[in-house]
Each structure stands twice: as structure tokens, then as C-alpha cells.
Amino acid sequence: MPVHRPGPIRPRRLFLVALLLTAFSLLHPAAVSAAEVPETPEATATPARGSAHMGMGVVAHDGQEGLPAGTRATQAEGVDVASYQGNVSWSTLWNSGVRWAYTKASEGTYYRNPYFSQQYTGSYDVGMIRGAYHFATPDTSSGATQADYFVDSGGGWYGDGRTLPGTLDIEWNPYGDACFGKSQSAMVTWIRDFLNRYKARTGRHAVIYTATNWWSQCTGNYGGFSANPLWIARYASTAGTLPAGWSTYTMWQYTSSGPTVGDHDRFNGALDRVQALAAG
């Protein structure tokens, strides 16, 4: 008995199959492969650990409105940098009038900036007064432990007249809950532990970098750290209302879209005041 072998599928049959598949996908969208669905912004919103940097949450939470008036003669211009900016053109910044800089040294107890040497030493080599900062993650380890990690990662202080005291960058958590899952009193305790250990290790009061809205939300607008210089984050024409305890700021991050390096800052005083802070 001869065996019947099917012939090629006719174009009409192919058309019908395609039509049925299209109708099925419209009626049952869940059956479409996830690989065919483009990712939404929410799906990629959480950055990789270690990638945090000063002010990365400011625009989202506080907005951005205008630039400050005044000149660099009365408020010395500075910048802050992190690994995402790579090798920085320090000579370009120097020629543009920037005279001081901070480099991210560490985050939590799990990250050291791989560009730290080029950024920290490079700014110094062109004549700038430089310092280092630590991005705090109070949900991963204690304040004292992170202060030790920071100092051991290059965040110490040297009495050479051109090294600024280290900065604690404490702001919105880019990896989760804005206050890192801590109550206001627990956050104050964590910050105090960091500051006390840094002072014990270096002999200097660390600078506190923060935004007023975050400070109010996550510390209850605690006013007990006035001995520490304040670095306020606000992208506007004025520094605005300051957190409790400080009547004035020492530094002000006023934009994330400046020339050469986006994050630009002003010191509350001319270059001689920057030199005085470095000298201790």
C-alpha cells in the first residue's frame, strides 16, 4: 500500500495560520513572550550597587530651578566627581576657574571608586584643594564601620594645607526606601556613630552633605550636628532653607549640569576660606 506524503503547505494555509496566531495574541496578551515586551522605566530604575553619587536623587525629589547669581571671586567654584565620570580633564576645569574638588572614595563597605587615584590625585596635581566623600548606606552596616572603611579607602585627612576633611554623603537611598529602612532616631544614631569614628580617626569633623527635604524626612530635622560643616544640595538660584542646627552652609551643590563635569558647587566664601577649612 503506498504511503501518502504531505506536500508543501500552500500560501493560503500559511496566511490562515498567521491570522489565527495574531487573533490569539490579541485575545491572550499574556501568552506573548516576555522577551518581546520592551522594559519599562520602572523595570530598570534601581541602579547597581556602588553606582550612587552625590545628588543623584536631587532632581527627582526637589526639582531643578535656575542657577545662582554672584561671582567666583566671592564664592570659590568647586566640583564633585565619581566613577561614572571616568578620567576627568582637571586642566580644563582648572582653566575654567574651578579651585576645589571632592572625589567619591567609597560606598557602604563594599565599594571603592576605581577612578579614585586619577580623580583625587589629578585635582591635586593641577593645584586644586581636594577632598574625598563617602556615600552612606545605613542599611548595610554601622556608621562606625563605614567611617573606618572610608578612611581606609582614601578618605582621611592630611595637614598639608590642600586636603579638605572627608564628607559624609547622606541622602535619598537610590536602592530602596528613601530613609534606608531606619526610623528618624535610628538614623540620627547612625550618623552620629559615623561622625564620631571619623573624628577619632582623623582629628577632624567630617562635612555633612545632604538636602533639607531628606534631612527633615529621615532625621526629623535633627539640629545637633552644627559642629560639622554643612554641604547643602539644592539646584536653584538660592540655597534655600537649611536643615535645623545650621545658620549657614559651608558648601552648596547648585547644579548637576555644569560644564566639563556636571556636578558644580560653590564655597560660602572666597578661596581663602577653602584654604582655611583645609588647614583645620
Side-chain angles (χ1 to χ4, degrees):
M1 178 178 178
V3 177
H4 175 73
R5 299 181 183 276
I9 299 175
R10 296 178 181 177
R12 178 178 173 80
R13 291 183 183 178
L14 288 173
F15 172 77
L16 291 174
V17 169
L19 186 64
L20 287 171
L21 287 173
T22 300
F24 180 76
S25 66
L26 291 173
L27 292 171
H28 302 279
V32 179
S33 170
E36 298 173 3
V37 181
E39 287 187 295
T40 62
E42 291 77 15
T44 58
T46 303
R49 283 277 176 179
S51 64
H53 56 87
M54 273 188 173
M56 67 184 301
V58 172
V59 173
H61 291 87
D62 281 353
Q64 184 166 344
E65 44 183 90
L67 293 170
T71 68
R72 294 176 181 181
T74 57
Q75 289 194 309
E77 188 79 2
V79 295
D80 56 271
V81 299
S83 63
Y84 76 99
Q85 288 150 326
N87 291 323
V88 175
S89 178
W90 291 111
S91 59
T92 301
L93 286 165
W94 175 266
N95 291 336
S96 73
V98 174
R99 292 295 179 262
W100 58 276
Y102 268 86
T103 296
K104 179 182 177 181
S106 52
E107 177 179 320
T109 54
Y110 51 79
Y111 175 85
R112 289 183 171 96
N113 178 4
Y115 289 92
F116 182 76
S117 179
Q118 192 278 342
Q119 295 176 346
Y120 186 72
T121 305
S123 57
Y124 186 91
D125 287 347
V126 298
M128 293 184 192
I129 300 171
R130 52 80 190 273
Y133 78 85
H134 174 81
F135 192 93
T137 56
D139 57 339
T140 63
S141 53
S142 73
T145 298
Q146 291 194 30
D148 281 332
Y149 188 79
F150 176 42
V151 173
D152 295 341
S153 300
W157 175 78
Y158 315 97
D160 57 5
R162 289 180 54 200
T163 301
L164 293 159
T167 292
L168 171 64
D169 177 0
I170 185 80
E171 56 177 296
W172 293 281
N173 177 13
Y175 309 120
D177 175 72
C179 301
F180 299 88
K182 290 194 174 293
S183 67
Q184 292 173 343
S185 61
M187 182 63 75
V188 170
T189 296
W190 191 96
I191 295 170
R192 183 183 296 113
D193 287 348
F194 182 101
L195 299 176
N196 287 346
R197 181 60 66 88
Y198 188 84
K199 178 72 158 49
R201 288 286 305 271
T202 67
R204 294 299 305 271
H205 288 294
V207 176
I208 296 176
Y209 168 97
T210 195
T212 299
N213 285 341
W214 183 91
W215 192 264
S216 297
Q217 176 186 353
C218 297
T219 74
N221 205 22
Y222 180 76
F225 294 133
S226 58
N228 298 84
L230 172 66
W231 189 346
I232 192 68
R234 186 168 188 258
Y235 301 165
S237 58
T238 69
T241 303
L242 302 180
W246 287 284
S247 59
T248 188
Y249 65 86
T250 298
M251 291 169 277
W252 168 25
Q253 187 190 55
Y254 67 87
T255 185
S256 61
S257 55
T260 308
V261 165
D263 296 346
H264 275 246
D265 311 90
R266 289 196 172 176
F267 203 90
N268 195 5
L271 183 60
D272 65 323
R273 302 315 305 154
V274 185
Q275 294 167 333
L277 180 61

